[in-house]
Amino acid sequence: MMNTEDFEKNVDEFLTHMREILISKNKEYSEDGVNRLHNFERGASVAGCSPLEIAQSWKTKHSVSISDMCSSGKVYSKEKWFEKLGDEAIYDILLYCIAIGYKKAN
């Protein structure tokens, strides 16, 4: 069980963590510091698919890792859950940005 106060605290903590990661990883997602979707565009070009498809493909690694954690029966630290769930959630945000960005461009 989790009371409302603890739930809201955990939500705020997770969302703050996510925002910090997204901002700090700007250079990893963008070769020139301008186009945040560069790696997805380049990856899609190499793989012969769309940026949205490549992002979903890359996200799968994180989904499998979380699935393995859930079914392992082990207890993981808060930091490990932050890392794994944060990585997957970041891909959800990036998928959203790619979907909206390309809709806007067309």
Side-chain angles (χ1 to χ4, degrees):
M1 182 176 146
M2 182 176 290
N3 65 39
T4 300
E5 183 181 337
D6 288 342
F7 179 82
E8 290 175 1
K9 178 183 173 235
N10 285 313
V11 168
D12 288 343
E13 191 174 70
F14 187 78
L15 292 175
T16 298
H17 170 74
M18 297 270 310
R19 181 170 174 70
E20 289 169 358
I21 294 294
L22 274 166
I23 290 169
S24 71
K25 287 196 169 197
N26 182 42
K27 290 183 180 175
E28 289 181 37
Y29 296 133
S30 167
E31 184 176 87
D32 60 6
V34 176
N35 181 5
R36 288 290 304 265
L37 304 178
H38 170 79
N39 286 355
F40 299 98
E41 292 168 356
R42 183 78 176 101
S45 175
V46 170
C49 61
S50 73
L52 202 56
E53 291 168 316
I54 202 71
Q56 179 61 44
S57 175
W58 292 348
K59 178 187 172 207
T60 301
K61 170 186 158 287
H62 301 291
S63 300
V64 169
S65 180
I66 291 166
S67 178
D68 289 347
M69 286 173 66
C70 290
S71 63
S72 74
K74 297 178 184 175
V75 175
Y76 295 94
S77 68
K78 179 179 181 176
E79 291 75 24
K80 181 58 82 175
W81 285 112
F82 253 30
E83 174 193 346
K84 297 298 182 176
L85 293 170
D87 287 345
E88 185 173 44
I90 284 169
Y91 268 89
D92 288 334
I93 293 168
L94 291 167
L95 282 161
Y96 172 78
C97 290
I98 291 167
I100 298 304
Y102 286 101
K103 182 178 180 184
K104 195 178 203 182
N106 293 327

